Amino acid sequence: MYNMIKDKQMPYKNPATSLNIPGIMRRSFTLIELLIVIAIIAILASMLLPALNKARGAAMQARCSSNCKQIGTGVMQYTVDWQDWLPAGKTSGGTPGNWKFEISPYCGFTKPATYNDMCKDTRFGAGGIFSCPMFKGFSFNAKAVSDYKSNPGKYSGLGWNDNISPFDQEGKRYKLQKVKRHLSETALAGDTVDDTQYDMGNYKDDYNVLLPIRNGDSHNKRISRRHNEGLNIIWMDGHVGWMRQSAMGYGKNGNIGWYYTQNK
């Protein structure tokens, strides 16, 4: 008897799928509903992406500032050991990046045997403490692209002020005490222009120098703006600060070169 009843039982159905219960029945989205959802997601993304990019840029600026502080400390330690002499920005032959070679032992590196060895060492280029983390090399200036492949340690997105202790030559290397006024307003090193901002043509080495502003030159040609329309700077008193590109270019007290020279 039990088996007969069992054989006659109806197959089990889930009530949720067989009854028309609001909020429980499953159904497919219509095309219009899908388009509305996609549109809402696109609107939210367009609102969030600028904020995310801004936060990413701020983080990069902070990392660059941290690298600059290490460099500034290294420079100050160098001057203590070398009777107040500053490192020279360029070699005696005028090739930039010599300052990194000279202060490398004060920034946690074993000093390379020669300047040329340093230029081929990737630790002195992009991604290291001598670099701005936003610097990724070159893409547009053919001469810079070629030289960067051969000398990745030469370029790093940070450069030495071309008006301060510019060459490793007698009379061209300065002592810190020579700059007696406005140390906190005299740039020592900082962010450099790259080829996404300006094409230097044949003057590829200008990408490796904190270029002093000159009459007739645009700000984009001489002054970096990779950090929120400005640049990080190591000042001669050792502190690191950000300055807007336009403020750096217009100078102070009617002197466009105010922040680049010790003679104020």
Side-chain angles (χ1 to χ4, degrees):
M1 183 68 178
Y2 172 78
N3 290 336
M4 291 176 64
I5 295 173
K6 181 179 180 181
D7 292 340
K8 292 181 179 179
Q9 284 180 336
M10 296 293 290
Y12 173 78
K13 292 184 178 181
N14 187 339
T17 61
S18 60
L19 299 177
N20 187 15
I21 302 176
I24 297 180
M25 284 293 292
R26 293 183 179 181
R27 65 183 181 84
S28 300
F29 285 106
T30 66
L31 178 60
I32 293 177
E33 288 172 330
L34 286 172
L35 291 174
I36 291 173
V37 170
I38 292 171
I40 291 172
I41 292 173
I43 292 171
L44 290 174
S46 67
M47 294 171 63
L48 290 173
L49 281 176
L52 291 173
N53 287 335
K54 186 175 181 179
R56 180 178 177 274
M60 289 289 192
Q61 182 178 338
R63 284 179 56 196
C64 178
S65 178
S66 177
N67 287 350
C68 287
K69 288 176 182 177
Q70 290 186 64
I71 293 169
T73 299
V75 171
M76 295 302 110
Q77 291 175 342
Y78 178 96
T79 61
V80 170
D81 284 353
W82 291 91
Q83 291 77 49
D84 209 43
W85 288 104
L86 287 163
K90 297 178 180 178
T91 65
S92 58
T95 307
N98 182 71
W99 61 278
K100 296 190 290 186
F101 172 64
E102 293 192 358
I103 70 169
S104 56
Y106 301 92
C107 294
F109 292 88
T110 299
K111 189 176 182 179
T114 67
Y115 166 81
N116 288 333
D117 289 334
M118 183 214 72
C119 288
K120 299 188 181 304
D121 191 333
T122 57
R123 296 176 303 164
F124 290 85
I129 69 164
F130 288 108
S131 75
C132 170
M134 291 188 71
F135 174 77
K136 304 299 181 184
F138 301 100
S139 302
F140 304 106
N141 184 284
K143 289 186 178 295
V145 169
S146 177
D147 195 33
Y148 183 66
K149 288 180 180 178
S150 302
N151 299 290
K154 181 178 175 183
Y155 302 92
S156 58
L158 296 177
W160 191 265
N161 181 356
D162 215 21
N163 276 347
I164 303 295
S165 196
F167 297 101
D168 184 17
Q169 298 175 3
E170 185 176 353
K172 296 295 184 179
R173 184 190 288 268
Y174 297 173
K175 282 195 169 187
L176 187 61
Q177 65 185 9
K178 182 174 182 178
V179 186
K180 296 180 179 179
R181 300 175 59 222
H182 306 292
L183 288 174
S184 64
E185 293 184 342
T186 303
L188 195 60
D191 282 301
T192 58
V193 173
D194 56 45
D195 67 348
T196 62
Q197 179 176 316
Y198 194 90
D199 188 345
M200 298 292 185
N202 292 325
Y203 300 99
K204 65 182 187 308
D205 283 348
D206 282 357
Y207 291 121
N208 205 14
V209 178
L210 185 66
L211 296 168
I213 194 68
R214 300 182 306 194
N215 283 317
D217 282 334
S218 69
H219 289 174
N220 276 343
K221 181 178 180 180
R222 310 291 291 185
I223 308 169
S224 175
R225 52 175 172 79
R226 66 165 62 103
H227 296 303
N228 192 28
E229 297 301 317
L231 68 163
N232 284 331
I233 299 171
I234 307 165
W235 301 94
M236 288 201 69
D237 65 348
H239 90 277
V240 173
W242 173 89
M243 180 167 281
R244 188 172 294 279
Q245 181 197 54
S246 56
M248 191 74 177
Y250 290 129
K252 184 178 176 181
N253 297 336
N255 180 0
I256 64 170
W258 179 272
Y259 298 112
Y260 294 96
T261 177
Q262 76 277 9
N263 299 315
K264 297 178 172 66

